[in-house]
Amino acid sequence: MSVPRRDPPSPTTAPSAADPRRWWSLVVIAMAQLMVVLDSTIVNIALPSAQRDLGMTDGNRQWAITAYTLAFGGLLLLGGRIADLVGRKRTFVIGLAGFATASALGGAATTPGMLFGARALQGMFAAVLAPSALSLLTTTFTDPKERGKAFGVNSALAGSGAAIGFVLGGVLAEYLGWRWCLYVNVLMAIAALIGAYTLVHEGPRPAGARLDVPGVLLGCGGLLAIVYGLSEAQPRGWADVRVLGLLTGGMALLAGFVWWQSRARTPLLPLHILRDRNRAGCCLTLCLAVIGMFGMFLFMTYYFQVVRGYSPVTTGLAFLPLTGSIIIGSTQISARLVPRVAPRLLVAPGMLLATSGMLFLTRLTVDAEYATEVLPALILVGLGMGLTYTPVFANATAGVAPRDAGVTSATLNTSQQVGASLGVALLNTIATSSAGGYLAAHPAHPAQRETIIRQSLVHGYSVAIWWAAGIMLLAGLIAALMVAGKPPRSRHGAPEKAPAAQSAA
């Protein structure tokens, strides 16, 4: 005898209306979201100290960031499926506990490999935690007005995570040591776990969810092979057999992933999501934009601390204008214009602004003045990215069927995380190779060795940022050609209200 399927509660019978703890549960969910976003930047500030302490090379230091973003982005779609399969509250709790454990392991790392492994484990549990948090918000707040407020609070915290990460990372790295940039997650996760058990309500579980194991193996295997191949290009050279084999094999696995998704009963990524030209353009634009953005984060962190000798706290404060510009561009400019202006008229100019900021940074010197040569560039990049985030998220999710809302959001976030992984791996390889070439071409007396090393580092950063500028310019071109030329509209023909987007910064 079959059990009749229950339809999810409608807004008029929303369980959140009878749940007096729903706003407290928002605090718990937002805390978890903040922890995941904060971890994308807090480790950047700590990385120079961790590199010295653990003896990382310039070539493999990027794995402290890439291991996290690659695991996060590669498993994000799977994490959403797991939440549907075993329950959102359960996966939320599992994600918090796993993230705390991985953070503790990373903080206790004694070798680079141990740190990289812990960061990958963090990314795996973040991929479980993030979709569960968003799903819990959706099922907890079913009244449209309350849901708008709840998502606004959650997005505001997520958007401020970058600024908090830069400043908090600087304070912790300078006064307590780089390890506390990971240990702090344990404290936040424990608080969120207590709140999850006592305050968070489990919503209805979707029927028919299944795991796409072949899709996971093909997709994650392909991404890992490509990122690893890019990182190996620096010590081995682009023509090395292993590098070419990894890059070719990775592309073949991703081609197999696309083929499998067209045949799987419950695909990780339903291909009809990306058959829409506008949505595919948004995902591709976001991926390319983040490639340049995360590469710049890495290089400017090392420029401030290694070349200029800034303390971790001063480095965190130096990044604040960038984050502030992103928030202003996304919440005060593009969010107001999205309902009335064609998305491409915001995204394409935004990418041009970010590109112009990157071009400023290509002129960096060893003794560049922050106020006149660095600050204007950071503001331009921040405003450009802010103009891009909100219309991309609003436009890509406009008019999506309810059953596809979750996978569309996960696809956008996956584009963001994959872009971060590829950007750090590719641009770090370019920077270290260029710096090595500069050193080989400029032999110096031992007394001048330190100066030449600093000049070589700046040269490597400048070459890599040239590439980042070109990638952002390509993102602007794709936005101009593929992103919609009309404001997103709801099913009733009215302009869509722009959702607050999560920034990558």
Side-chain angles (χ1 to χ4, degrees):
M1 179 177 178
S2 62
V3 179
R5 179 181 174 183
R6 291 185 176 181
D7 291 325
S10 65
T12 57
T13 60
S16 63
D19 184 3
R21 302 174 300 177
R22 63 191 181 279
W23 293 107
W24 284 108
S25 68
L26 171 62
V27 174
V28 175
I29 295 168
M31 182 187 298
Q33 186 69 31
L34 173 64
M35 181 179 66
V36 170
V37 175
L38 180 149
D39 213 65
S40 296
T41 55
I42 193 172
V43 174
N44 279 65
I45 300 297
L47 190 52
S49 301
Q51 181 177 356
R52 290 192 299 268
D53 193 15
L54 299 180
M56 300 179 207
T57 67
D58 287 348
N60 70 14
R61 68 189 176 193
Q62 51 94 8
W63 283 103
I65 300 170
T66 302
Y68 176 79
T69 56
L70 181 61
F72 192 1
L75 297 175
L76 195 57
L77 292 170
L78 176 63
R81 289 292 186 192
I82 292 175
D84 291 340
L85 185 67
V86 303
R88 298 178 178 108
K89 180 176 178 178
R90 183 178 298 175
T91 52
F92 184 74
V93 169
I94 292 172
L96 282 171
F99 198 89
T101 302
S103 299
L105 289 173
T110 55
T111 64
M114 186 175 175
L115 177 62
F116 302 157
R119 290 287 286 163
L121 198 60
Q122 277 186 305
M124 291 170 60
F125 283 106
V128 173
L129 178 60
S132 303
L134 291 176
S135 297
L136 284 171
L137 274 184
T138 301
T139 56
T140 301
F141 295 91
T142 54
D143 177 79
K145 292 184 179 179
E146 288 194 348
R147 179 181 291 182
K149 292 179 182 178
F151 271 88
V153 171
N154 183 72
S155 297
L157 284 175
S160 62
I164 296 172
F166 282 130
V167 176
L168 180 60
V171 171
L172 292 175
E174 184 164 349
Y175 296 111
L176 294 177
W178 67 267
R179 298 178 186 277
W180 275 96
C181 293
L182 292 161
Y183 287 147
V184 70
N185 293 325
V186 179
L187 303 178
M188 295 178 66
I190 290 174
L193 272 171
I194 295 171
Y197 273 113
T198 57
L199 299 170
V200 175
H201 172 74
E202 174 70 90
R205 188 180 305 177
R210 295 183 181 182
L211 294 182
D212 178 17
V213 176
V216 174
L217 296 176
L218 290 169
C220 297
L223 289 173
L224 182 60
I226 289 174
V227 172
Y228 185 52
L230 291 174
S231 68
E232 286 292 288
Q234 188 272 326
R236 295 177 177 274
W238 289 98
D240 182 78
V241 174
R242 176 181 293 187
V243 173
L244 293 175
L246 286 167
L247 296 178
T248 303
M251 289 186 285
L253 286 173
L254 290 182
F257 172 76
V258 174
W259 172 83
W260 174 252
Q261 295 307 284
S262 66
R263 288 158 175 78
R265 290 184 60 187
T266 54
L268 278 180
L269 177 59
L271 294 184
H272 70 267
I273 295 293
L274 295 179
R275 288 196 185 103
D276 180 85
R277 175 180 172 181
N278 170 57
R279 194 168 295 119
C282 287
C283 290
L284 189 54
T285 298
L286 182 63
C287 181
L288 292 173
V290 172
I291 285 177
M293 190 72 171
F294 266 72
M296 189 206 68
F297 280 162
L298 178 66
F299 304 138
M300 293 309 298
T301 297
Y302 274 85
Y303 176 78
F304 288 142
Q305 293 193 44
V306 177
V307 177
R308 298 304 309 275
Y310 287 8
S311 69
V313 170
T314 305
T315 299
L317 294 174
F319 273 115
L320 277 184
L322 170 70
T323 306
S325 299
I326 291 175
I327 293 174
I328 291 171
S330 60
T331 63
Q332 301 302 314
I333 301 176
S334 62
R336 297 173 185 268
L337 295 176
V338 160
R340 300 186 297 274
V341 176
R344 71 171 56 154
L345 297 182
L346 292 173
V347 179
M351 284 291 91
L352 288 177
L353 268 181
T355 300
S356 65
M358 289 290 192
L359 292 177
F360 265 102
L361 292 177
T362 62
R363 301 161 56 191
L364 280 178
T365 61
V366 171
D367 54 358
E369 289 292 332
Y370 176 83
T372 57
E373 299 178 70
V374 178
L375 179 60
L378 296 182
I379 292 175
L380 286 172
V381 172
L383 286 174
M385 295 300 292
L387 285 175
T388 299
Y389 285 130
T390 300
V392 161
F393 274 83
N395 192 45
T397 56
V400 175
R403 68 178 182 277
D404 291 329
V407 72
T408 301
S409 177
T411 301
L412 278 167
N413 281 282
T414 299
S415 301
Q416 185 170 291
Q417 296 301 327
V418 168
S421 302
L422 293 176
V424 172
L426 173 63
L427 297 178
N428 185 68
T429 294
I430 293 172
T432 52
S433 298
S434 300
Y438 186 95
L439 275 178
H442 295 79
H445 189 274
Q448 299 176 316
R449 183 69 176 173
E450 185 64 30
T451 300
I452 294 297
I453 289 176
R454 292 169 66 204
Q455 290 174 349
S456 71
L457 292 174
V458 174
H459 173 75
Y461 303 156
S462 298
V463 172
I465 291 174
W466 268 110
W467 279 82
I471 291 170
M472 283 191 162
L473 188 61
L474 177 60
L477 178 62
I478 289 173
L481 296 176
M482 296 181 65
V483 175
K486 295 181 179 180
R489 307 184 77 81
S490 70
R491 285 175 295 178
H492 302 290
E496 284 269 270
K497 184 179 180 181
Q502 296 178 30
S503 75

